[in-house]
Amino acid sequence: MPELPEVETARRGIAPRLAGRRLAGIVVRNAALRWPVPPELARKLPGCRVTAVRRRGKYLLLDCGAGTLIVHLGMSGSLRLVPAGAPATPHEHVDLVLEDGTALRLRDPRRFGAVLWTEDEPLAHPLLARLGPEPLTAAFSGAALHRATRGRRASVKSVLMDSRVVAGVGNIYASEALFRAGLRPGRAAGRLTLAQCGRLAAAVKVTLRAALRAGGTSLRDFVDTDGNLGYFQLRLWVYGRAGEPCRACGTPIRERRLGQRSTFWCPRCQR
DNA sequence: CGCCAGGCCTGCACGC
DNA sequence: TGCGTGCAGGCCTGGC
């Protein structure tokens, strides 16, 4: 679920419902996420006003006056706004409760997600400080990608998933963007030409925007769903399609593991 | 049962 | 030597 487009969709869904509202508190049913949910939130959060809901890479930032909540959805996390008194189902580990009792509820079966707190500049937090440019801004360009990949022997797919190079590109969209750019995932990143980097940066943007549109469409009402709908509506070119015909040329899609992650490509469309 | 999964951190061995 | 790199392991549950 939660790649950049889904996190951004979540942000857009919850921001208008949270911004300007005051928090009554937090309910933590299971603090054992990737890192422990800070116990001091119980006394820090009540009375805080949420001033903004931002996103950086796959992290959500809830500015709460005295500090900022940093939320990451990990592999299996999702957020819903639930009415006051809604009983929690299994894996619904954390509620941020608003004054009217409505809660922003984090469900995360695998508990790879995180809810953290910082009272410093959140973008300087160790988890965020070294993130590369946002892929959907002008800061991420062919020239920037070219610069960032010079001298790197690692595969272009691994480098695309390196959050220091560009923030928020996950395993699915790395394969998808490389397909759109016509580049094989295993190519050494440092050997890409400026023109190829230009095509790849553009492909990342097109891929994420398309996914964002798909996620946005089905997840517009995601507060009433489990948040999975957006993903399944996506029309994937290669991801998860090993052995199936390429949607562009019919050649069977190949799969290999690259950097311990499943990687898919069309051997004819991608060189 | 074993294996896989959209993330991301740490730690290690290796080779340039 | 030092660094970039790939890889293993860890954190967990659920589905096939």
Side-chain angles (χ1 to χ4, degrees):
Chain A
M1 286 159 268
E3 299 217 32
L4 185 149
E6 287 76 19
V7 176
E8 175 61 17
T9 299
R11 190 197 69 77
R12 293 177 185 180
I14 65 178
R17 305 276 303 271
L18 289 186
R21 307 279 293 279
R22 219 180 269 280
L23 294 175
I26 185 170
V27 175
V28 179
R29 297 179 198 84
N30 187 347
L33 301 185
R34 169 133 197 216
W35 296 283
V37 178
E40 67 265 30
L41 290 178
R43 59 182 170 80
K44 296 265 190 185
L45 287 184
C48 284
R49 192 182 296 280
V50 180
T51 55
V53 181
R54 296 183 283 160
R55 179 189 56 76
R56 179 78 174 96
K58 294 171 191 166
Y59 294 88
L60 284 172
L61 306 176
L62 281 63
D63 293 313
C64 298
T68 302
L69 283 165
I70 299 173
V71 177
H72 196 286
L73 300 177
M75 296 270 265
S76 59
S78 60
L79 291 168
R80 293 174 59 199
L81 277 158
V82 299
T89 63
H91 312 304
E92 294 186 334
H93 306 306
V94 178
D95 284 0
L96 284 180
V97 186
L98 301 177
E99 284 187 315
D100 68 357
T102 304
L104 179 67
R105 178 165 286 176
L106 172 66
R107 173 185 147 87
D108 185 7
R110 292 176 69 182
R111 287 192 271 130
F112 286 4
V115 176
L116 299 171
W117 176 251
T118 180
E119 298 184 359
D120 301 322
E121 164 54 48
L123 298 180
H125 189 278
L127 290 171
L128 307 182
R130 290 203 298 272
L131 291 179
E134 283 293 319
L136 295 179
T137 66
F140 180 63
S141 63
L145 184 58
H146 190 253
R147 215 178 308 123
T149 52
R150 288 316 84 186
R152 293 200 61 168
R153 289 163 293 153
S155 71
V156 60
K157 197 250 191 175
S158 298
V159 169
L160 214 44
M161 293 181 65
D162 182 342
S163 63
R164 295 167 302 182
V165 173
V166 57
V169 177
N171 198 40
I172 290 176
Y173 298 125
S175 280
E176 292 296 301
L178 285 163
F179 174 85
R180 287 184 190 254
L183 294 168
R184 292 203 183 178
R187 292 180 59 146
R191 296 217 197 93
L192 296 184
T193 65
L194 178 59
Q196 288 170 332
C197 287
R199 283 198 289 278
L200 183 51
V204 167
K205 291 170 193 278
V206 167
T207 299
L208 294 180
R209 286 206 186 94
L212 191 48
R213 271 198 306 279
T217 302
S218 64
L219 292 181
R220 190 173 18 183
D221 57 348
F222 85 103
V223 294
D224 300 324
T225 75
D226 63 4
N228 283 327
L229 296 175
Y231 174 69
F232 292 112
Q233 286 189 354
L234 216 71
R235 186 181 165 82
L236 297 168
W237 288 95
V238 291
Y239 185 84
R241 300 192 63 246
E244 295 175 44
C246 172
R247 295 192 201 279
C249 76
T251 304
I253 298 300
R254 300 261 278 269
E255 175 180 10
R256 69 179 273 208
R257 294 191 70 83
L258 213 46
Q260 303 295 96
R261 311 300 298 277
S262 300
T263 303
F264 302 86
W265 78 98
C266 169
R268 177 151 178 222
C269 293
Q270 295 173 255
R271 303 286 175 176

